[in-house]
Amino acid sequence: MRRISLFTVILLCAVSSFAQSGYTWRTARDIGEGARGVVAGTVVDVGSANRLQIEMDSDQSRVNVETDSVATQYNGFGGVINGKPEIYTGTSGFANVRTGDRIEVRGTGRGTGAVVADQVTLLGRSVSASQVGVGQTRSPSSIGTSTDDRPTGTVRSDTTSRAIEGTVRSIGTSDGRVVIQTTDRRMITIRTSRTTPVYYRDQQYRVTNLEVGDRISVTQDPRDTGYDDVTATRIDVLQSVDETTTGGNNNGGVVTTLQGRVNRIDASGGFAFVDVGRDEVRVDMTRAEDATGHRIGASDLRIGDRVDVSGSYNRAGDTFVATTVRYTGAGGDYTPLPRDNDYTTYATVTIIGTVQSTLDDETMLVVKERDTNRTLRLWALEDLAVRTKAGTYTTASTLRVNDTVTIKAFRDPDGTLIAQTVRLRSR
């Protein structure tokens, strides 16, 4: 009986130990709701609210990790106190996690690709880092900070600087930080400034022209001794992400900017024609946004506007496809010019002008505005009611060129005008 009891105790301890450690998840799809388990990988993003994302060692799938601001335990991120490794808990431990760290997470699954962490253990990083705050010694079984002995990626070095090659994974537009992933899956943060040059095909661009997926070579500042957080003095684009989607056509897919003056506008086709100094470039505005992220179309521009346009040429090389359009002021500062049609919200507008083209001639009604001399195109049904000068009613199909009209129209955020009421005027 004593032997049976002893065997039972040992078995229960083994089961308890197994239940505590859980199953080792090999892919993000293995993670089940409420299941206990372990996952290991490389940190690719450290977000807010104590959340981070790792790329699994096994199949490179991504796992979202949620940590508790009080209870989650962090092992291996500190030094040694009285012969025992430091342990961090909660927010103080989360602050020590950096992009590029290899970690092991033990916790409970929240469904496919998500884990709530009880313990986070540092498996390795390229160089040791100073800790944020002071940890505590709670368990002699915790491991100390180890050094990652995996390859450090593709590095070319000389006596003054070294170049690091990798693929752009994220771009911080506010702080100028670019995160790249090397061929050995090491994540490196690149610090840049507004003056850091970016070269592609012997032409100089800006850091803001980089896109996720570009393969680049970063020349590190020789005064910088970091390995996973470096300062760049120069960036060379080895292969643009657009080359993989456009087949490497020499005319298309090159991320660049245009600076110049708006010469002509084709609002119906969604094109603006920009004088860049040596020639006129046709700019496709159908997918463009302004500096605040709002849609901006060709009808939003005015002849004479000076603009800075980011984007790339199409495969034929005859059209520049705009992604971002900024208005430029004196000295090159980005300051919006005074405008009377900031198309960012839905609105109703009143237009007074003369008919330039009728519904008999085109699918849209074309009106030249009296005060600004702008030519506006409006959608209108042929049987839309039109009030005459005598107070009677007719339809929009009877309007003729040079008729003076007052139109109330609906305008959407893209600047599209849809006529709601039309009234003929004496002048």
Side-chain angles (χ1 to χ4, degrees), residues 10 51 117 130 174 241 387 399:
I10 294 174
R51 296 183 179 181
S130 57
S174 59
V241 64
R387 185 177 180 181
L399 291 174

Side-chain angles (χ1 to χ4, degrees), residues 258-260 262 265 285 289-292 294-309 324-330 332-343:
L258 296 178
Q259 294 179 337
V262 177
I265 297 172
M285 298 283 293
E289 297 180 348
D290 63 15
T292 63
H294 293 96
R295 286 286 303 276
I296 180 171
S299 59
D300 296 329
L301 301 176
R302 294 288 176 270
I303 294 175
D305 280 352
R306 299 199 63 84
V307 292
D308 186 317
V309 186
T324 305
V325 178
R326 300 178 177 88
Y327 298 95
T328 59
D333 296 329
Y334 293 123
T335 53
L337 298 178
R339 303 177 61 80
D340 60 358
N341 64 334
D342 184 13
Y343 298 159

Side-chain angles (χ1 to χ4, degrees), residues 36-264:
R36 297 280 302 168
V38 181
V39 61
T42 302
V43 178
V44 294
D45 183 54
V46 179
S48 59
N50 292 305
R51 296 183 179 181
L52 54 90
Q53 188 179 71
I54 66 173
E55 185 177 89
M56 297 180 68
D57 290 340
S58 54
D59 67 345
Q60 299 185 19
S61 58
R62 300 275 176 109
V63 175
N64 296 315
V65 179
E66 300 180 16
T67 68
D68 189 272
S69 60
V70 177
T72 301
Q73 185 179 107
Y74 296 81
N75 302 319
F77 290 88
V80 177
I81 297 178
N82 296 326
K84 296 181 179 180
E86 287 182 280
I87 292 179
Y88 292 82
T89 57
T91 303
S92 63
F94 183 84
N96 285 290
V97 180
R98 301 193 308 177
T99 301
D101 287 350
R102 291 192 63 244
I103 62 174
E104 178 187 84
V105 178
R106 294 176 179 269
T108 304
R110 292 198 63 181
T112 302
V115 176
V116 178
D118 297 330
Q119 292 185 16
V120 177
T121 301
L122 178 64
L123 300 179
R125 57 173 35 142
S126 56
V127 292
S128 60
S130 57
Q131 292 77 43
V132 179
V134 179
Q136 299 178 359
T137 301
R138 298 196 179 186
S139 171
S141 62
S142 301
I143 67 170
T145 303
S146 57
T147 301
D148 192 349
D149 57 0
R150 297 182 302 164
T152 57
T154 305
V155 177
R156 301 193 310 269
S157 61
D158 53 34
T159 56
T160 59
S161 61
R162 67 188 188 113
I164 306 169
E165 293 182 12
T167 302
V168 176
R169 292 308 184 199
S170 68
I171 302 172
T173 55
S174 59
D175 56 9
R177 296 191 184 189
V178 179
V179 176
I180 67 172
Q181 184 177 26
T182 62
T183 55
D184 65 341
R185 295 165 48 206
R186 185 162 63 96
M187 309 298 292
I188 300 177
T189 299
I190 309 298
R191 297 177 182 269
T192 68
S193 66
R194 294 183 61 185
T195 59
T196 303
V198 176
Y199 293 94
Y200 180 59
R201 292 182 177 176
D202 299 324
Q203 296 188 40
Q204 183 173 341
Y205 304 99
R206 305 175 183 177
V207 173
T208 53
N209 295 133
L210 292 174
E211 291 187 299
V212 173
D214 288 344
R215 190 165 65 87
I216 64 175
S217 174
V218 180
T219 302
Q220 183 179 349
D221 189 328
R223 297 167 296 181
D224 189 347
T225 59
Y227 284 89
D228 58 354
D229 193 329
V230 305
T231 301
T233 59
R234 170 184 174 129
I235 296 176
D236 291 276
V237 179
L238 304 178
Q239 184 182 38
S240 169
V241 64
D242 294 291
E243 292 183 62
T244 60
T245 57
T246 63
N249 188 288
N250 290 333
N251 294 325
V254 180
V255 180
T256 183
T257 60
L258 296 178
Q259 294 179 337
R261 177 183 176 275
V262 177
N263 273 353
R264 297 182 289 136

